[in-house]
Amino acid sequence: MIKRKQLKILNLKFILLKEKKNQINIGIYPNDKKFEIKTNNNDIGKSDIIIDSALSGEDIEININHKYLTDSFQSLHNDSVSILFNGYNKAVIISAIGDISFLYLIMPMNK
């Protein structure tokens, strides 16, 4: 679960550190309660964002296009969002907590 305030911070980071392929690496580490996003742009630099979140499941890392992630955030009207990772190289599902009408699917990118 991620809060709306945290989503706004992510949006700003993505604008500042756009990677040419729009690719970001997301790491989920439930035992450490860490949701980590890494970006890398050879012209500008690197950025690592760590968000304390309510997480469950196994550790996973996946690459996705940040534009699809931020598009989903702009469509949300709730304070909290659920991001479901189905495994390495499988679709990511984003839903608004408490709103069953919103469901967003993001396909992963290859490295």
Side-chain angles (χ1 to χ4, degrees), residues 1-109:
M1 180 173 67
I2 299 177
K3 299 288 185 184
R4 188 173 239 355
K5 181 173 70 172
Q6 295 165 324
L7 300 178
K8 289 180 182 179
I9 293 168
L10 291 178
N11 251 345
L12 287 173
K13 286 280 192 173
F14 294 150
I15 290 168
L16 294 173
L17 269 179
K18 286 188 177 177
E19 201 269 334
K20 291 178 182 168
K21 297 177 186 172
N22 298 319
Q23 183 171 310
I24 59 171
N25 175 270
I26 295 179
I28 303 297
Y29 309 103
N31 291 336
D32 299 330
K33 298 186 188 308
K34 285 189 346 187
F35 179 89
E36 184 175 31
I37 297 177
K38 296 179 185 179
T39 60
N40 185 15
N41 182 317
N42 292 334
D43 299 327
I44 300 173
K46 296 180 183 181
S47 177
D48 291 347
I49 305 165
I50 297 174
I51 299 173
D52 291 329
S53 304
L55 305 169
S56 63
E58 299 176 11
D59 290 1
I60 188 169
E61 288 189 15
I62 192 167
N63 296 309
I64 62 171
N65 185 321
H66 80 80
K67 287 187 177 187
Y68 298 133
L69 187 64
T70 55
D71 284 350
S72 73
F73 296 161
Q74 292 173 4
S75 302
L76 287 169
H77 302 291
N78 294 41
D79 284 339
S80 298
V81 61
S82 171
I83 304 175
L84 177 64
F85 295 85
N86 292 301
Y88 177 75
N89 225 16
K90 294 189 178 178
V92 176
I93 299 171
I94 299 175
S95 61
I97 293 180
D99 180 5
I100 59 170
S101 68
F102 182 85
L103 193 65
Y104 198 90
L105 182 74
I106 301 174
M107 296 304 293
M109 298 175 72

